Amino acid sequence: MPLSLPAGQKIVVATHNPGKAKELAAILDNRFELVTAGALGLPEPEETETTFVGNALIKARASADASGLVALADDSGLSVAALGGAPGVHSARWAGPEKDFALAMRKVEERLEETEGEDSSAWFTCALAVAWPNGPAVVVEGRVDGQLVFPPRGTRGFGYDPIFLPNGHDQTFGEMDAAAKDAISHRALAFEKLKAALL
């Protein structure tokens, strides 16, 4: 029997980040009843994997098993070519315990300056995992390529959005309205794959 998610199903979103929860709800067309791991008081698991897919699975599995609900987790981040793919899976960690992404963006800029290269290419990756309590899981991955721009532009989105200019566009993710970003983002691409697999 193929795995599927009926509309209206209650799903726990394995995040303590309200911005990410909001974005996932929009991409899910509000077709499910979503509750966050943060709202349920679930602990954040240690993200010990070296890939986005591995960490998304850890988070989905932990939330599903702890809550008894189907869980959706996303692990995403910014990879910079000139920095060997950093910050990558450590994207949130670069923002420190205060989740200060202004600090994280400065750090990216400083590291780039240290390379003294011309390459400002970067990409966002999003791995989405859906896990059933003590059961199977499905994982997909989406990626969007672009260039880094400094100083940061725009106050929309969250995380590294203000320094990321997707290829073929003249607005950063931080300048785009939510609908424009959701149409092309790494999260939207991953979700299209997830829809094809599950919905």
Side-chain angles (χ1 to χ4, degrees):
M1 133 130 195
L3 297 170
S4 71
L5 288 173
Q9 177 155 352
K10 190 170 186 180
I11 295 179
V12 57
V13 181
T15 183
H16 289 66
N17 174 338
K20 192 174 277 190
K22 216 162 87 184
E23 199 162 285
L24 284 170
I27 290 174
L28 288 165
D29 304 326
N30 298 310
R31 71 170 83 199
F32 304 107
E33 186 192 334
L34 299 182
V35 56
T36 64
L40 293 177
L42 303 179
E44 290 191 72
E46 245 343 272
E47 294 175 32
T48 50
E49 291 288 331
T50 55
T51 63
F52 293 111
V53 162
N55 283 327
L57 262 176
I58 285 178
K59 290 191 273 195
R61 172 74 51 234
S63 283
D65 293 350
S67 68
L69 297 167
V70 174
L72 168 68
D74 123 302
D75 196 57
S76 51
L78 177 72
S79 300
V80 181
L83 304 183
V89 291
H90 302 298
S91 290
R93 226 165 282 173
W94 278 33
E98 301 300 309
K99 304 266 189 278
D100 180 351
F101 279 96
L103 170 78
M105 289 187 278
R106 274 203 306 280
K107 204 181 282 188
V108 170
E109 185 175 16
E110 284 161 11
R111 296 275 173 93
L112 262 181
E113 282 168 359
E114 286 164 17
T115 70
E116 293 179 358
E118 296 297 301
D119 187 2
S120 64
S121 58
W123 61 95
F124 268 122
T125 306
C126 170
L128 286 177
V130 174
W132 279 258
N134 307 306
V138 174
V139 199
V140 293
E141 197 170 54
R143 167 177 164 159
V144 61
D145 288 87
Q147 304 292 321
L148 296 182
V149 293
F150 298 99
R153 292 174 11 202
T155 54
R156 294 169 161 161
F158 58 91
Y160 297 91
D161 286 356
I163 60 172
F164 185 77
L165 185 68
N167 289 343
H169 295 267
D170 55 8
Q171 285 187 314
T172 67
F173 271 179
E175 293 171 304
M176 286 182 181
D177 66 40
K181 179 187 168 186
D182 287 348
I184 61 163
S185 77
H186 47 304
R187 205 162 273 121
L189 294 171
F191 190 67
E192 283 310 311
K193 293 182 183 176
L194 196 67
K195 271 205 274 216
L198 290 180
L199 305 179

